[in-house]
Amino acid sequence: MQERSERTRCRLIDGAAELFTRSGYASATLGQIAAAAGVTKGALYFHFPSKDALADVVALHGSALLGEFLDERRATGDGPVQRLIDLTHWLALVRRDDPVARAALRLADDGVTGPGGTGGLRRAWLAEARRLLAEAEAAGELGGDARRDGAEALLAALMYGIAPPGTDRTAGSGTRPEDGGALWQLLLPVLVGPGRTGRYRTVPPRPRAEAVRAA
């Protein structure tokens, strides 16, 4: 019984993610979400008292994925510029491969701030990217042209090229994950200086479990 209840809950989250991404938060109705999940509205209310509650779960999923990724990258000991590169790859990949995280981005674009007004996945990503840029500047990793406003402009170009606001209706909108390496090869000379690009990996990092198996 508990297992069936959990399956229903997961279907509802997936259905909500699909509707939030396709129609936006305001237009998605609880009836549509229930229909997408293949359950009654009564079953929906058993698990979620409101559309806000569903949106909070979707937003938390995206934030949890980001937190797990950041913990994994910190454990590598890589410097801030490398972790920033990896962070942009993560955004493109999760947007393509995880429908619930994709919906979390769309919710943030629709002004849904998430549990406790946390601001959503896009704001959390931007906050981490800005923190990494500040850390990179303090560590002397940034080239002269990328300091201060230059780094912020570069960050905005990356963020809104990879995941443009309001376009998350399909996994294919925005920059493709496979384009990230080529993009960074163009941008790294501006960020760190032309003579220092060889120390950074521009392809997506392998998950830790995969790297351990390969070793």
Side-chain angles (χ1 to χ4, degrees):
M1 186 71 163
Q2 185 176 358
E3 183 179 342
R4 189 172 80 174
S5 178
E6 183 59 26
R7 286 199 302 268
T8 299
R9 185 177 185 275
C10 289
R11 289 206 307 272
L12 284 164
I13 294 168
D14 290 342
E18 178 188 342
L19 265 297
F20 291 154
T21 300
R22 188 171 70 218
S23 304
Y25 177 79
S27 297
T29 69
L30 289 176
Q32 291 171 335
I33 292 169
V39 304
T40 66
K41 284 185 74 173
L44 186 155
Y45 282 119
F46 175 80
H47 291 278
F48 300 101
S50 66
K51 188 166 67 169
D52 282 348
L54 267 166
D56 282 352
V57 171
V58 170
L60 281 171
H61 173 83
S63 298
L65 283 182
L66 178 60
E68 290 169 8
F69 175 80
L70 295 178
D71 288 345
E72 179 182 301
R73 299 321 301 162
R74 289 187 195 104
T76 66
D78 289 334
V81 169
Q82 184 62 66
R83 282 183 282 146
L84 177 62
I85 295 170
D86 294 343
L87 183 63
T88 61
H89 285 306
W90 175 86
L91 182 64
L93 287 167
V94 79
R95 208 169 149 269
R96 181 192 68 184
D97 295 339
D98 192 308
V100 182
R102 192 158 60 244
L105 277 169
R106 178 64 195 272
L107 286 174
D109 295 339
D110 287 350
V112 179
T113 58
T118 53
L121 181 55
R122 190 179 293 276
R123 184 179 294 179
W125 189 97
L126 279 167
E128 176 62 17
R130 288 193 177 102
R131 192 194 68 75
L132 288 170
L133 281 173
E135 186 180 332
E137 183 167 2
E141 281 197 65
L142 299 187
D145 292 339
R147 293 179 189 142
R148 297 182 184 174
D149 293 342
E152 288 286 325
L154 178 62
L155 174 59
L158 280 168
M159 175 62 171
Y160 295 110
I162 292 168
T167 61
D168 288 296
R169 293 175 177 81
T170 68
S173 55
T175 300
R176 300 174 303 169
E178 56 268 30
D179 294 335
L183 181 63
W184 272 111
Q185 287 173 19
L186 291 172
L187 295 177
L188 261 180
V190 177
L191 187 65
V192 301
R196 305 169 67 185
T197 60
R199 67 183 69 179
Y200 300 103
R201 169 182 37 77
T202 58
V203 297
R206 286 188 296 175
R208 290 181 69 188
E210 183 181 324
V212 169
R213 285 197 301 271

